[in-house]
Amino acid sequence: MPVEIRPFDPSSASEAELAEYYAVSTAVLAVDHPDVWPPTLAEFVETIRRTLTVLGPVRRWVARDAGRIVGTASVIQPEHENTHLTIVQVTVLPERWRQGVGTAVLRGVLPDVRADGRTVVMGYNVKADASGESWARKLGFVRTHGYVKQTLKLADVDPGLWQRSVAAGFRLESWSGAAPEALLVEYARARTAITDAPTGESTLEFEDWTPERVRTHEADLRSRGVLIRVTVAVHEDSGRVAGLTELEVSEGGRRRAIQQDTAVMADFRGHGLGLAVKGATLRWLTAEQPGVEQIFTQTAHDNVHMIRINHALGFVTTAALSELEIGVAELAKRLEV
C-alpha cells in the first residue's frame, strides 16, 4: 500500500502527530549530524509552528504509512530576492530509506510548487555524499555549491583564542537587538559585503540590504524569540562600518547559538577585522549567555580565509554540506507529474 501524502499544519496537529514528526527529524539528525544536540520536543514544536521563515512562508507535508508519519517535507518560497526558487527539504525515517517514501513526498508537493510559477527547486544544507544527496542526484539534482559546517564547543576551547584586539584606526561597537540609528545606514551598506563570498554555480541571490530591510529583519527575529548580537568594526577617520559579525541566540536559553554572516568591506580587508569582531562577540557570549554551550556556523567550502578565521577561534569542521538544484520542469518530467 503506497504512503499517503497530505499537508500538515503544526498549529492544529495533535500531540501524537507532533511527536511523530519530531521523531523523523531527530532520527535523521542523529544519522547525518551526530555531533549536533537535538532540540527538545517543545523547542522543535515551537519552531515548526512558525509559518514565516527569514526567507519567506513555509508549508509542510507528511507521508503516512498505516497512519504513522514516516516522512516529511517543507517548502519555502522566498518573497524578495530568489523568487525563481522553491527551497524544499525532504526528511524520511532512516528505517524507510530506499523504499520510495522521499520520492513520493516530493511528487506530492510538486503541484503546489508549480502553481506558484517557480522555475528552480533547491535542496539546501544536504549532507554531502550521504544518502540524501545520493537520492537527489539520482532524480536529476545537480550540486551547485558546497559548504562546511563548523562547530565551536565553548568548554573545549581556550578563551584566550578570543582575545583579539582591533587594528589601529578602528574601533569596535556592539549591540543586541537593534542597530543604533547613528550606524544604521553604514551597517546596512556593510552587510552587502557578503555578496563577495563564493557562490559556485548556485542561483541563490544574496539579500539587498537597506536600512528598512535591517529593521524588518530585526523585528522578525524579535517576533521569533531570537536575540541577535552584532559587533562591528568602525573606521575612525571615515565613520564607515568596515566589518561586522552577527550571532543569534534563542531568548529561551537554549544551549546552541548560530554564527550568522561575517563580512569585511573589500577596501578594509587585511587588518584582521574578521578575527577582531568574532572574538569580541565570543567574549560577550560567554559573559552574558553562559547557558550556551555550542555555536554552529556554515561557510562556503572555498572561502578558505573565513574557514581559517573560524579555526583560529576554536571552531572545528564537522561536516560537508551541499546545495542542490534542478529545474521545476525537469523534475516534473522525471517524477512524471
Side-chain angles (χ1 to χ4, degrees):
M1 181 177 178
V3 293
E4 179 187 30
I5 313 299
R6 288 285 184 271
F8 184 77
D9 181 3
S11 65
S12 60
S14 69
E15 291 185 6
E17 290 173 321
L18 292 168
E20 288 181 356
Y21 198 112
Y22 172 75
V24 174
S25 297
T26 53
V28 174
L29 184 68
V31 173
D32 283 350
H33 301 286
D35 61 303
V36 177
W37 295 321
T40 65
L41 175 59
E43 290 170 344
F44 180 80
V45 170
E46 177 187 345
T47 298
I48 67 170
R49 279 180 170 165
R50 299 183 189 122
T51 58
L52 188 64
T53 72
V54 67
L55 290 174
V58 59
R59 296 191 293 276
R60 301 182 187 277
W61 284 259
V62 294
R64 300 178 191 269
D65 186 1
R68 177 192 179 206
I69 296 175
V70 296
T72 72
S74 65
V75 173
I76 298 174
Q77 292 174 318
E79 293 184 305
H80 302 289
E81 298 82 12
N82 301 300
T83 54
H84 66 295
L85 279 179
T86 291
I87 301 172
V88 178
Q89 181 182 43
V90 174
T91 308
V92 176
L93 272 175
E95 66 198 61
R96 298 299 304 270
W97 287 355
R98 301 179 183 87
Q99 297 178 26
V101 176
T103 303
V105 176
L106 192 57
R107 185 179 289 115
V109 307
L110 194 60
D112 194 76
V113 170
R114 298 175 78 184
D116 284 356
R118 307 289 168 133
T119 58
V120 176
V121 176
M122 171 179 283
Y124 196 68
N125 291 344
V126 180
K127 188 172 184 181
D129 300 316
S131 179
E133 180 172 16
S134 175
W135 165 75
R137 295 183 78 158
K138 287 177 182 176
L139 286 173
F141 283 82
V142 175
R143 184 190 293 180
T144 55
H145 198 31
Y147 297 83
V148 294
K149 180 168 74 76
Q150 296 180 287
T151 304
L152 175 62
K153 294 184 178 180
L154 296 168
D156 295 345
V157 176
D158 177 4
L161 294 177
W162 312 328
Q163 300 299 322
R164 306 285 178 165
S165 58
V166 68
F170 299 87
R171 71 177 187 275
L172 297 182
E173 294 198 25
S174 298
W175 62 83
S176 297
E181 284 294 332
L183 287 174
L184 179 59
V185 172
E186 272 297 312
Y187 172 58
R189 186 177 63 82
R191 290 204 61 163
T192 62
I194 197 70
T195 60
D196 289 348
T199 59
E201 301 300 317
S202 174
T203 67
L204 187 69
E205 302 168 0
F206 289 109
E207 294 93 338
D208 179 19
W209 289 101
T210 63
E212 295 76 20
R213 185 77 173 270
V214 169
R215 291 298 189 225
T216 299
H217 178 60
E218 292 167 343
D220 173 65
L221 291 174
R222 286 193 297 272
S223 72
R224 294 191 283 119
V226 176
L227 173 67
I228 185 171
R229 178 71 175 185
V230 178
T231 299
V232 300
V234 180
H235 185 236
E236 296 278 19
D237 289 344
S238 66
R240 292 175 60 192
V241 172
L244 63 94
T245 193
E246 303 165 304
L247 187 77
E248 292 183 5
V249 184
S250 168
E251 292 179 346
R254 299 176 189 172
R255 297 183 296 169
R256 297 170 298 277
I258 301 174
Q259 173 71 65
Q260 297 286 19
D261 289 350
T262 300
V264 177
M265 299 295 287
D267 47 343
F268 290 114
R269 291 171 186 164
H271 295 285
L273 299 182
L275 275 171
V277 294
K278 282 194 168 185
T281 300
L282 289 169
R283 295 194 300 271
W284 168 85
L285 181 71
T286 53
E288 302 294 331
Q289 300 287 327
V292 174
E293 300 175 31
Q294 283 187 333
I295 304 173
F296 299 101
T297 192
Q298 290 177 202
T299 308
H301 72 96
D302 45 358
N303 191 347
V304 294
H305 179 66
M306 191 57 64
I307 292 172
R308 189 182 306 121
I309 286 175
N310 290 338
H311 284 162
L313 294 168
F315 282 85
V316 175
T317 297
T318 55
L321 305 172
S322 294
E323 183 180 293
L324 308 165
E325 294 186 23
I326 189 173
V328 171
E330 176 63 19
L331 183 58
K333 179 180 177 182
R334 289 174 177 265
L335 294 175
E336 300 180 348
V337 176

